[in-house]
Amino acid sequence: MTFHYARSRIRNFSIIAHIDHGKSTIADRLLELTGTVQLRDMQEQLLDDMDLERERGITIKAHPVTMFYAAKDGQVYQINLIDTPGHVDFTYEVSRSLSACEGALLVVDAVQGVQAQSLANVHLAVERDLEIVPVLNKIDLPSADVAGVKRQIEEIIGLPASDAICCSAKTGLGVDQILEKIVEMVPPPAEPEDDRLRALLFDSHYDTYRGANVYVRIMSGELSKGMQIRMMATGKVFDVLEVGIFCPKERPVEVLLPGQVGYLLANIKNTADVKIGDTITANKHPAFEPLPGFKVVKPVVFAGIYPVDSSDFESLRDALVKLQLNDSALHVEQESSLALGFGFRCGFLGLLHLEIVFERLQREFNLDIITTAPSVVYRISLGNGKVVDIDNPAQYPDPTQIVKVEEPWVKCTIMLPAEYLGALMNLGMEKRGECLKTDSASGSRLILTYRFPLNEIITDFNDKLKSVTRGYGSFDYEFDCYEKSDIIKLEIRVNEEPVDAFSCLVHRSKSEHKGRAICAKLKEVIPRQLFKVPIQGAIGGKVIARETISAMGKDVTAKCYGGDITRKRKLWEKQKKGKKKMKEIGKVNIPQEAFMKVLKAD
C-alpha cells in the first residue's frame, strides 16, 4: 500500500475519553486493521510503552502513530493518531495533543455512560473547533445500555448521537466503521498561508544517545534532513540530522510536509532549548510570528523530592531535567531542608501526577528518593503590607506577623447515579465543600457543581469518591479563586526534633485529627530503637497529638544466675543511664516508605 502525499488525504485525530473507557484498546484495533503492526508484534495497550502504564492500566503519555488506510473510495489515506491520557491529572497532555489535530474520537463506555473527564475533554476539543466523532465502546457487555448512553451524549454534551458508531474494541466488532468515519468526518489539514516552515512542537523525550527527540506537527512549509532550523521561543539554531514518522516505532523519511505528524533529531543536548508549545521555523526564511501555543499549565500541588543519599543530588537534578522534557507540566526548583539536605521543590497537577513522577524517577533513573507531604500554594498577607505565596511549611512566617491567610478554591463538576447523592453530600461536608447546584442528567444520573478548598481534594478525594459511589462517580476540577481561611502550621517532631518533611499547613478544624493520624502512622512505620521515641504534633508551642514508640528491651540480667539481687540492680541502673545518654545523642532514622505512607494517612 503506497501513499502519495496529498494534503486532502491526511487526517489528524485524537482519542478522548474518561479513564478506563477503552481508548488504548481501540488504538490497538486500529493499528491491527491498518496493518501498521504485524500480528506477531501485537500486544495489549501497544501505545502504552511504559511498564507503569501497563501495570496501572492507564495512559500517562500522549503517543503519536501514523497509519496508512485504504478506504472504500479506493484512496489511501495517511491517518495520524495522537493517543491521550484520561485521568484528570493529565489534562495538559490532552490539550497538547488536541492542538495538533483537526478531529477527535469521543469514546464513551456503553455501561458507565458519560463521565466528568469526558465532558472536560470535549470542552477542550470544542474550544479548538475540532470535529468530534462519538463512539460507544463495550457494547458486547450484557449490562450495556446503548440507547441510554446515546441520549446522555445528546443531553449532557450536546452532540448528535443518533449515528454514533457502536463497537466493541475487545472483540473488534464495528471498529472498521471508525476508520471510515474518520475519513468522512474529520477535515483534512487547512491550506497553509505560505510556504515558510511552521512546525508545532507538541511533545518530546530524551534519548541518551541521540539527544532530545522532538515531536512535531507541520502546519506549513517543509521539514527535511540537513535543514537549519530555529526554535522561536529560545532563538537557538540547529541542523536537522533526521526526520521521520511513528509506525509506531520511529521510521526515518526524507521530508515532512504540511499536515504531517512526526519527529526530528537535531543533536539537541541541552534540554532547556526545547520548550513544549514552541514553533520551529527555518533559519534562512523564518516565519513572521509563532503559532498560537497552548495554555501554560500551572502546578497546583507542591512537594519536595530529596535523594536518600546526598551524593545522588546531581543524578536527581539530571533525571528531573530529562523528565521535564517528557512532561512539561512538571515544575522544578532547588531547595534545602534541615532534616533531608539538598533537594528539589516540584510542582505537580495532582497526587497521581506526583506518584507517577516519583515512580518514574525510581524506575527509569534508578534513584533512591523520598518525598515530603504535598501542599498547595497559600497566599499570606503580612503586617508590613507584603503578600507572599507559600507552598512549603518551612517558609511559613511568624504567626504574629500574619494579617490573613488565603487558600485556593476550585470548582468541581461531579457526575454520579442519584442513589449515591447522600453519601456524596457527607463527603462534601467532610471536605469543607459548598454545593452550588444540582442538575439531573438523563435517567437517574446527576451532575453536581461544587466548590472545594484545593488542599482538601488533592490527596484522597478521588479515592473516596470512588468508594462512596462504588466506582460510578467521576469528577473534574478547575481553579476558581483565593479565599480567606484559618490555616495554621502543624509541626511534627520525632524525638524532640522537628521533621519539616512531615510538617504541613492545615485548616485549624482539621489540625488535631491530622496530627493524630500522622503520629499514629509514624508509630507504625518507624522501627523501634533502644530508647523511647516520642512523636508529637504541635501548633506553635502547644502539643495536640502524641504517640510513643517503646524501647526495645535487652535483658542485661540474663547472664546472672541466682546470687544477690543488688548485682541485678547495679546492671539495671547502668542500663538506665546508658539509655538516658543514648536518648540525648541517639538519632532516629526514618525509613523511606514512611514518607509515602504518611502521605496516605487519613
Side-chain angles (χ1 to χ4, degrees), residues 165-181:
I165 301 162
C166 299
C167 72
S168 161
K170 202 158 204 161
T171 61
L173 173 75
V175 180
D176 51 339
Q177 295 173 37
I178 296 177
L179 287 162
E180 282 298 322
K181 203 79 167 176

Side-chain angles (χ1 to χ4, degrees), residues 468-483:
V468 300
T469 61
R470 298 192 184 162
Y472 287 111
S474 62
F475 90 112
D476 183 61
Y477 63 87
E478 60 184 14
F479 177 76
D480 188 23
C481 63
Y482 271 90
E483 277 188 18

Side-chain angles (χ1 to χ4, degrees), residues 219-244:
M219 298 298 184
S220 64
E222 295 181 4
L223 181 64
S224 59
K225 186 177 171 179
M227 268 180 81
Q228 261 205 345
I229 55 163
R230 184 193 301 169
M231 304 285 186
M232 290 187 86
T234 57
K236 294 284 170 70
V237 176
F238 297 102
D239 291 322
V240 178
L241 304 178
E242 184 184 306
V243 295

Side-chain angles (χ1 to χ4, degrees), residues 17 51 93-94 161 226 232 275 279 283 333 347 360 391 424 429 434 463 518 522 537 549 554 558 584 587 594:
D51 293 342
E93 285 279 342
V94 181
M232 290 187 86
K275 294 264 188 289
T279 302
N283 192 36
E333 55 189 51
R360 284 184 71 183
D391 59 61
L424 177 76
M429 281 165 64
E434 299 171 2
D463 297 348
I518 293 176
L522 284 175
I549 300 173
K554 183 184 175 187
E584 286 166 13
K587 195 165 182 291

Side-chain angles (χ1 to χ4, degrees), residues 450-517:
Y450 254 95
R451 285 180 77 245
F452 285 106
L454 181 58
N455 70 348
E456 294 287 348
I457 66 165
I458 55 169
T459 44
D460 58 356
F461 184 78
N462 197 32
D463 297 348
K464 287 193 168 176
L465 176 68
K466 292 290 178 200
S467 302
V468 300
T469 61
R470 298 192 184 162
Y472 287 111
S474 62
F475 90 112
D476 183 61
Y477 63 87
E478 60 184 14
F479 177 76
D480 188 23
C481 63
Y482 271 90
E483 277 188 18
K484 187 180 174 185
S485 190
D486 190 5
I487 300 291
I488 50 170
K489 180 181 176 181
L490 172 66
E491 188 175 72
I492 302 295
R493 300 172 190 160
V494 176
N495 198 25
E496 313 291 338
E497 288 282 318
V499 183
D500 46 359
F502 295 130
S503 301
C504 52
L505 301 175
V506 290
H507 193 266
R508 194 180 293 274
S509 64
K510 298 278 181 94
S511 58
E512 195 174 319
H513 177 72
K514 179 93 174 168
R516 284 182 176 168

Side-chain angles (χ1 to χ4, degrees), residues 554-573:
K554 183 184 175 187
D555 191 358
V556 286
T557 59
K559 59 190 177 195
C560 303
Y561 46 92
D564 191 7
I565 187 73
T566 51
R567 188 167 170 226
K568 288 186 177 178
R569 282 206 184 112
K570 210 185 258 179
L571 287 167
W572 285 330
E573 279 303 315

Side-chain angles (χ1 to χ4, degrees), residues 129-140:
D129 207 18
L130 302 190
E131 186 63 48
I132 299 167
V133 181
V135 175
L136 266 65
N137 190 20
K138 307 189 187 182
I139 58 163
D140 57 320

